[in-house]
Amino acid sequence: MKSVHFPLFSLFLCLVLISCENGHHAAAPMERKSEEPPARSLPSLPPGTLNIVIAGQSNASTCDWSELENPGHSKKMLAIGGMSIQDLLDRGVTMGPGKDLIIWVHGEQDAYLGTDPQVYIEKMLDYFDLIYEANGGVHVPVLISLIGYSRTLPNDNFDAIRNAVIEQSQIDDHLIIAYSDAKTFVDRDMLRDDIHFTKEGCKEMITAFLSAIKSLQRDEIIQDGESEWSQELDN
């Protein structure tokens, strides 16, 4: 009898070990190959001259945009000095359809007021919707100049608004950061008072907008939010 029980016990033990081993392998996680992020395609602009909306506040309304008009682009000025995003919404949008592009230069007043950055973003998008509605329901790209700093106020509120706009642009392909160096204007002495750009600051910003427009008219494909002109601005 002993000679019979021993092989049966051995067989039972082997089955238990195999079952445990298989269970161990089944619990091992599957390896996944890392994937490259998909190429991001910017919204394209038609070739030739464009009908452009310039919106925001004083650093848009007080700059000389003749360089933008020299290639033949036409502009509709909606920017008004001293306007918070709520002020712009309350004022509304008066314009006709047929616009190809929005240029957005705004945020300083809300940084002064300490507007919650997420509230700012929600109202900014609501304001763009007003422009789209006035444009016959046609959504167009928005080129953005990020806000700079004040000579007298702490940077925190300005950073909060700027970062919120950057984050929104990363999830909305229609929002494109064209210029990001206004934050250097205090150190470069390119503010004519506490917050407003000098002629040199305006020219630098507008040159960046023109470069971005050319990029969109070439219908470029960019990777991870980087394009030829944005890389040039960062260098």
Side-chain angles (χ1 to χ4, degrees), residues 217-234:
Q217 287 184 315
R218 290 196 298 266
D219 195 16
E220 289 184 347
I221 301 297
I222 65 172
Q223 185 78 26
D224 295 334
E226 290 294 333
S227 68
E228 177 183 331
W229 50 266
S230 67
Q231 289 171 356
E232 289 175 355
L233 291 174
D234 291 338

Side-chain angles (χ1 to χ4, degrees), residues 1-10:
M1 296 293 292
K2 292 182 180 179
S3 61
V4 174
H5 287 176
F6 181 77
L8 289 175
F9 177 78
S10 299

Side-chain angles (χ1 to χ4, degrees), residues 59-196:
N59 277 326
S61 63
T62 61
C63 283
D64 178 3
W65 293 89
S66 58
E67 188 177 354
L68 185 76
E69 296 173 300
N70 285 340
H73 302 311
S74 64
K75 72 176 190 297
K76 169 66 176 178
M77 182 62 70
L78 295 181
I80 305 172
M83 288 275 165
S84 68
I85 191 62
Q86 184 62 57
D87 292 335
L88 290 176
L89 280 171
D90 292 342
R91 188 178 182 87
V93 171
T94 303
M95 69 172 214
K99 305 303 186 289
D100 302 301
L101 176 70
I102 300 168
I103 284 178
W104 181 246
V105 186
H106 191 269
E108 287 88 349
Q109 185 65 20
D110 286 277
Y112 273 115
L113 295 173
T115 302
D116 179 273
Q118 290 309 311
V119 172
Y120 176 82
I121 292 299
E122 291 171 7
K123 293 184 177 182
M124 180 186 77
L125 297 177
D126 288 343
Y127 185 69
F128 293 159
D129 284 341
L130 291 182
I131 297 179
Y132 298 148
E133 182 179 354
N135 199 37
V138 178
H139 289 224
V140 296
V142 182
L143 293 181
I144 299 171
S145 174
L146 297 174
I147 64 170
Y149 290 120
S150 160
R151 289 187 185 276
T152 59
L153 295 179
N155 294 343
D156 293 357
N157 288 347
F158 295 86
D159 287 333
I161 295 290
R162 184 187 305 106
N163 291 337
V165 173
I166 292 171
E167 289 176 7
Q168 187 64 34
S169 74
Q170 292 170 344
I171 61 176
D172 187 338
D173 284 348
H174 274 75
L175 306 183
I176 303 155
I177 307 301
Y179 187 65
S180 59
D181 276 354
K183 63 186 178 183
T184 69
F185 282 5
V186 171
D187 294 334
R188 295 164 63 195
D189 198 25
M190 293 174 73
L191 296 178
R192 55 187 170 85
D193 51 30
D194 187 58
I195 200 71
H196 296 106

Side-chain angles (χ1 to χ4, degrees), residues 28-46:
M30 293 179 61
E31 292 185 5
R32 295 184 179 181
K33 295 181 180 179
S34 61
E35 297 180 358
E36 292 294 328
R40 177 187 173 197
S41 178
L42 288 176
S44 61
L45 287 173

